[in-house]
Amino acid sequence: MNNSVSSFLARHNFAIHEDVLSIAQGLLNDMDKGLKGEESDEDMIRTFCNPPKNTAEKQSVIVIDAGGSNFRSCLVSFDSQGKAEISYLEKTKMPGVEKELSKKEFFEQIAINLDHLKDKADRIGFCFSYPMEIKENGDGVLLGFSKEVKAPEVIGSEIGKCLKKTLEERGWKAIKRITLCNDTVAALLAGAACVETGNEYSSYIGMILGTGLNAAYIQPDNNEYKIKKQIIVCESGKYTSITKSDFDIEVDKKTTKPGSFILEKSCSGAYLGPLSYQALQFAAKENLFSKKVCTEVLKIENLTLIEVDGFLHGPYNVNTTLGKIMSENASEEDFNKMYQLLDNIAERCARHAAAILTACVIQTEAGKNASKPVCILCNGTTFFKTSLVKERVYSYLDEILTKTLDIYWKIVSCDNDITLGTAISGLID
């Protein structure tokens, strides 16, 4: 690495090439505490469900996917062969993103968003991608919003119960069941439902690395935890015991909940742009680049992950925000320094994601037979599109799980994974 970049990162407490297994071990210790009911960063939420043994056939379910800034809803119908068909798909803004809503306004807006699906099924699968305490009846009590949704009165509410009441007030016929699930659970269930012919898996994991960050896995029976085999939602993004750089601290200060979701803020799509912006601002103020580049960088008001990723994918592309600045002002040394600086942020993202997956795979106690690996379904544009993140995650998992621990795994993908998994959750009694 360039000496100037390395020195700059060290000066601002940015950990370079962190040890993935050490982070995973810290996560495992925190997971253990959470499962025992002790104080922990991660919530370790019990879902009281497992992937169904039989394929859904000749059934329909209304699906809601609420998370990030979007609210999606549709009808999923399974034919006699278990093949899913998606219809009546609509997408709108997530309630509470544009302005603060009361509890009543929040559920009324959701109900309005579902008008096109009125009475098309008597079951609703609701992927609600925020921390919840799942109840044995499939409902979920909201623990808090994590992605800048402003509806504080909703916290502590039973989401399914409140929505059912609001829908009935709008003239819906009897709704048999509303099942709440997290997007990581939906990803896990989709992975279990999309097993290709000839393959078998010893366990399943779902991970989201997009706007936010989280993972779910199947916890086997454990007397110490007083738990029967079931899917556990970790709330991985809430883990705090990681090294925080000056850039992380500056970004955290500007969020709606400073001091929370520290791991998520280190590597999810909502924060990688602002993190890169802060790193570049610090760098320009300290003259890491040539004078002309520093002057232009300091004029930048903000950066998105898309803009940062555009530079990493094509540093000499003049049609990107950073590429244009560099092409007009930078030396080859400037290009090298900026690329290394931003690449370190993306690389840390991959290391943190790999640490979460390592911890979850170990916790499943599966993957001991190479012919029956642990199935990992990953979802999210940050995982798949951010420069070298996916490739690096594969490399770290291969080195740690396969070569060091002799545990076998396979990352898979599935079309419409969250929609399919949510539909399956809606049909679980």
Side-chain angles (χ1 to χ4, degrees):
M1 184 186 298
N2 180 281
N3 288 337
S4 297
V5 175
S6 178
S7 175
F8 168 77
L9 291 173
R11 194 161 60 247
H12 291 286
N13 203 38
F14 187 96
I16 302 170
H17 306 323
E18 291 178 286
D19 183 68
V20 175
L21 184 55
S22 292
I23 300 171
Q25 289 168 336
L27 283 160
L28 282 165
N29 182 57
D30 189 67
M31 293 162 75
D32 180 66
K33 290 178 180 178
L35 289 166
K36 289 176 179 174
E38 299 173 3
E39 186 176 348
S40 62
D41 292 338
E42 298 165 277
D43 294 322
M44 305 307 292
I45 299 166
R46 304 182 184 208
T47 66
F48 306 100
C49 76
N50 286 292
K53 295 180 180 178
N54 300 317
T55 304
E57 297 177 359
K58 296 181 180 180
Q59 297 180 83
S60 293
V61 58
I62 293 168
V63 168
I64 306 169
D65 180 7
S69 59
N70 296 315
F71 182 98
R72 301 176 184 85
S73 55
C74 65
L75 183 72
V76 176
S77 302
F78 295 92
D79 64 18
S80 59
Q81 304 300 314
K83 183 179 178 181
E85 179 185 0
I86 298 171
S87 57
Y88 301 101
L89 176 63
E90 288 193 5
K91 176 182 172 181
T92 185
K93 284 282 186 183
M94 176 66 191
V97 168
E98 294 183 331
K99 65 175 184 177
E100 183 169 321
L101 300 178
S102 67
K103 178 177 175 178
K104 186 173 187 295
E105 290 170 334
F106 181 81
F107 286 105
E108 284 180 345
Q109 187 57 61
I110 291 178
I112 290 169
N113 292 346
L114 297 178
D115 278 345
H116 67 295
L117 295 167
K118 185 176 180 180
D119 298 332
K120 295 193 181 299
D122 61 3
R123 287 176 174 265
I124 297 176
F126 194 165
C127 179
F128 197 64
S129 302
Y130 307 98
M132 294 181 291
E133 178 189 343
I134 299 298
K135 300 170 71 69
E136 292 194 50
N137 65 2
D139 206 344
V141 178
L142 179 66
L143 301 177
F145 285 113
S146 59
K147 301 186 183 77
E148 319 304 286
V149 174
K150 299 175 286 293
E153 290 182 11
V154 180
I155 297 171
S157 301
E158 293 181 39
I159 302 299
K161 180 179 179 181
C162 292
L163 177 58
K164 185 174 185 289
K165 179 175 181 292
T166 305
L167 292 175
E168 289 173 347
E169 289 172 351
R170 292 181 66 83
W172 284 54
K173 295 176 184 176
I175 299 167
K176 189 173 182 180
R177 182 181 173 98
I178 298 179
T179 302
L180 273 290
C181 75
N182 184 278
D183 50 2
T184 56
V185 174
L188 187 155
L189 291 172
C194 295
V195 177
E196 295 179 352
T197 303
N199 285 313
E200 290 187 19
Y201 296 104
S202 51
S203 193
Y204 298 91
I205 290 169
M207 188 182 83
I208 307 296
L209 180 53
T211 304
L213 168 72
N214 200 3
Y217 73 98
I218 299 178
Q219 171 64 47
D221 293 348
N222 189 296
N223 291 332
E224 186 179 11
Y225 299 150
K226 299 178 181 178
I227 192 171
K228 294 294 184 182
K229 179 181 176 183
Q230 62 183 274
I231 300 170
I232 298 290
V233 178
C234 300
E235 291 301 337
S236 313
K238 298 178 80 171
Y239 185 65
T240 63
S241 296
I242 57 171
T243 303
K244 294 180 281 293
S245 70
D246 293 338
F247 324 135
D248 295 298
I249 293 168
E250 286 301 313
V251 169
D252 184 47
K253 286 178 184 176
K254 295 176 173 61
T255 61
T256 57
K257 293 182 179 180
S260 64
F261 292 89
I262 299 301
L263 184 54
E264 179 171 285
K265 290 171 183 175
S266 78
C267 61
S268 72
Y271 302 102
L272 286 177
L275 271 172
S276 300
Y277 172 77
Q278 289 297 335
L280 287 175
Q281 291 296 300
F282 273 88
K285 289 173 184 176
E286 295 175 23
N287 299 311
L288 180 65
F289 313 114
S290 62
K291 185 175 180 180
K292 288 170 66 178
V293 172
C294 289
T295 299
E296 293 303 314
V297 166
L298 289 172
K299 292 179 183 177
I300 300 173
E301 295 184 356
N302 55 65
L303 279 174
T304 65
L305 175 55
I306 292 173
E307 291 173 311
V308 174
D309 211 36
F311 178 78
L312 289 174
H313 279 292
Y316 296 94
N317 183 349
V318 298
N319 295 316
T320 67
T321 301
L322 295 175
K324 185 174 187 299
I325 289 173
M326 298 299 280
S327 67
E328 294 174 354
N329 302 281
S331 66
E332 283 299 300
E333 185 177 9
D334 286 326
F335 270 99
N336 184 36
K337 288 178 179 178
M338 182 173 287
Y339 190 94
Q340 288 194 23
L341 176 58
L342 297 177
D343 184 58
N344 266 280
I345 293 172
E347 195 236 19
R348 186 183 70 168
C349 166
R351 286 180 180 270
H352 288 179
I356 292 168
L357 289 176
T358 297
C360 287
V361 170
I362 291 172
Q363 195 67 24
T364 66
E365 300 178 13
K368 307 297 173 61
N369 184 332
S371 67
K372 286 188 178 182
V374 176
C375 175
I376 304 169
L377 192 143
C378 292
N379 173 283
T381 53
T382 304
F383 179 82
F384 284 104
K385 293 187 177 181
T386 301
S387 177
L388 298 178
V389 165
K390 179 180 72 173
E391 293 82 358
R392 282 168 166 159
V393 169
Y394 274 74
S395 175
Y396 303 146
L397 293 182
D398 184 57
E399 187 64 34
I400 295 167
L401 289 176
T402 311
K403 294 178 181 177
T404 303
L405 301 176
D406 199 27
I407 298 175
Y408 298 90
W409 54 277
K410 183 178 180 180
I411 292 179
V412 303
S413 59
C414 170
D415 291 339
N416 301 306
D417 47 10
I418 303 303
T419 300
L420 174 61
T422 304
I424 292 168
S425 77
L427 297 173
I428 297 174
D429 287 317

